[in-house]
Amino acid sequence: MNRNTEVVVVGGGYAGVMAANRLTLRDDVRVTLVNPREFFVERIRLHQRVGGTHEAVRDYREVLAEGVRLLVGTVDRIDAAGRTVVLADGGSVGYDHLVYAVGSGSAEPRVPGAAEYAYPMGGLEEAERLRPALDAAARTAPVTVVGGGVTGIETAAELAEAGRAVTLVAGRVLGPSLHPRARRTVARRLGRLGVRVLDGPEAVVTAVTRDSVRLSGGRELPSAVTVWTAGFGVPDLAARSGLTTDALGRLLTDETLTSVDDDRIVAAGDSAAPSGLPFRMSCQAAVQLGPQAARTVLSRLAGERPAPVSVGFVAQCLSLGRHAGVFQLTHKDDTVRAVSVGGRTGAGLKEFICRGIPWQLAYEARKPGVRTWWAKGQERPEPVRGTGPAASATPAAPAGPAAGR
């Protein structure tokens, strides 16, 4: 009698959920998703949680396939030799194959005082710490947001629209990933919201204190609450487990998302570095990489050669409060086009994407690998039923691009 193949997915974000759902194509595969929280975090809405306009969490039952077992726990170490995931509470889970999808979070700030006095917001717990700090400050108290990327821009706009006195210290360039036209649209909207934007060579933060932010140009800004959005990092789980990583700590893989150390381990999302050239950390890449990591596992179970990864970008979108936004079109390789949509239309497109991604996860849960608008001409693989790990199965088609950051 053939036993089921055990697949453990570490991390329950966008990539991990998509991978887990896609793996249910075979009913002889048992999927366990290990995640430190019992609910799904809509990370692209964390700035709204801070601003009080959205909770940014969902029940996993809304987005996870019924056959996926959810194990709430923190992974302390991956024992690749023993094919075991060791949990922080002393428990363990064995696996035949593992999907590494631990995502990303706030990078450790190297600026003096930032770790002690600034509030990062790369994850849910950080956003939850920031919200009461804002509530405790007077409505007129100065709030400084450090970081001119998408997260910094969205956070500054959300807080300003809520009536806060916000300064955005953008560093050398505001919105460096945007086309200059879109950048000007962002700057105009922030100005209308009352956000003071500081950028250029003298707008680099050199120190943070309890009540101020110091800049490279010598200025010192009063700051009752300092929000830190400058940069993202990844958990050190792979490095702690003795697996090969890139300089940032992402799991180093080949072009099929397979670890260079172990063909039983594949990676997906922000924590993957295929051939040392990772894709931009984004939900947009994660919802494509998750199914492709699952496809690599399913191909190996079918005795077939895994296909190389393929990710196509469509756009970057960001909200500028609840009534405006920017939808920046990109080429497939993520380079920006000169075309963008702003204003209320941009806000509507951003909200459409934010609502659409949980729908995409839920749809994958109900119909894993189904053909959709982004995969015309690709046939949905038939589920394999009870024929053992070595049974043949057509590899699932990769998920298509969902526009977004």
Side-chain angles (χ1 to χ4, degrees), residues 343-358:
R344 287 187 177 272
T345 303
L349 288 168
K350 171 62 189 279
E351 182 60 23
F352 175 78
I353 295 300
C354 286
R355 293 184 181 184
I357 290 170

Side-chain angles (χ1 to χ4, degrees), residues 262-287:
D262 189 334
D263 64 8
R264 299 278 182 148
I265 299 175
V266 300
D270 292 353
S271 54
S275 296
L277 296 171
F279 299 99
R280 174 169 58 89
M281 291 184 180
S282 62
C283 168
Q284 187 173 178
V287 295

Side-chain angles (χ1 to χ4, degrees), residues 68-331:
V68 176
R69 173 196 175 206
L70 175 64
L71 175 59
V72 179
T74 299
V75 177
D76 182 65
R77 182 171 54 87
I78 298 167
D79 178 2
R83 293 183 196 163
T84 302
V85 169
V86 181
L87 304 178
D89 64 5
S92 63
V93 184
Y95 66 83
D96 296 302
H97 294 268
L98 182 140
V99 179
Y100 185 84
V102 297
S104 62
S106 299
E108 186 70 27
R110 298 181 179 179
V111 172
E116 293 82 3
Y117 302 115
Y119 290 86
M121 54 170 298
L124 177 67
E125 289 75 18
E126 293 171 336
E128 288 178 332
R129 287 194 293 270
L130 171 58
R131 194 162 164 181
L134 288 165
D135 291 341
R139 300 294 295 177
T140 57
V143 175
T144 303
V145 178
V146 180
V150 171
T151 303
I153 291 169
E154 290 188 320
T155 303
E158 201 76 26
L159 295 179
E161 193 171 75
R164 294 289 180 177
V166 181
T167 297
L168 175 60
V169 180
R172 298 184 183 279
V173 179
L174 173 68
S177 65
L178 300 174
H179 188 276
R181 291 181 184 176
R183 202 174 295 150
R184 289 191 290 270
T185 300
V186 168
R188 285 194 298 269
R189 177 59 182 172
L190 289 175
R192 293 191 189 103
L193 289 171
V195 177
R196 179 172 60 155
V197 177
L198 302 179
D199 60 356
E202 296 186 347
V204 177
V205 175
T206 58
V208 177
T209 70
R210 189 181 302 276
D211 54 10
S212 70
V213 173
R214 296 171 188 162
L215 306 182
S216 53
R219 297 178 64 181
E220 185 164 341
L221 308 175
S223 183
V225 180
T226 300
V227 185
W228 194 268
T229 70
F232 288 93
V234 299
D236 64 351
L237 175 60
R240 287 203 321 267
S241 302
L243 299 170
T244 302
T245 67
D246 70 358
L248 194 63
R250 291 170 288 212
L251 184 67
L252 193 62
T253 75
D254 64 13
E255 288 298 307
T256 71
L257 299 175
T258 304
S259 166
V260 298
D261 302 308
D262 189 334
D263 64 8
R264 299 278 182 148
I265 299 175
V266 300
D270 292 353
S271 54
S275 296
L277 296 171
F279 299 99
R280 174 169 58 89
M281 291 184 180
S282 62
C283 168
Q284 187 173 178
V287 295
Q288 299 178 69
L289 291 169
Q292 293 186 70
R295 181 186 64 180
T296 292
V297 174
L298 293 172
S299 295
R300 287 206 165 91
L301 293 180
E304 299 171 354
R305 184 176 181 178
V309 65
S310 176
V311 170
F313 289 89
V314 174
Q316 296 179 39
C317 57
L318 60 155
S319 62
L320 298 168
R322 296 298 88 212
H323 307 292
V326 169
F327 189 81
Q328 165 74 73
L329 291 175
T330 68
H331 296 281

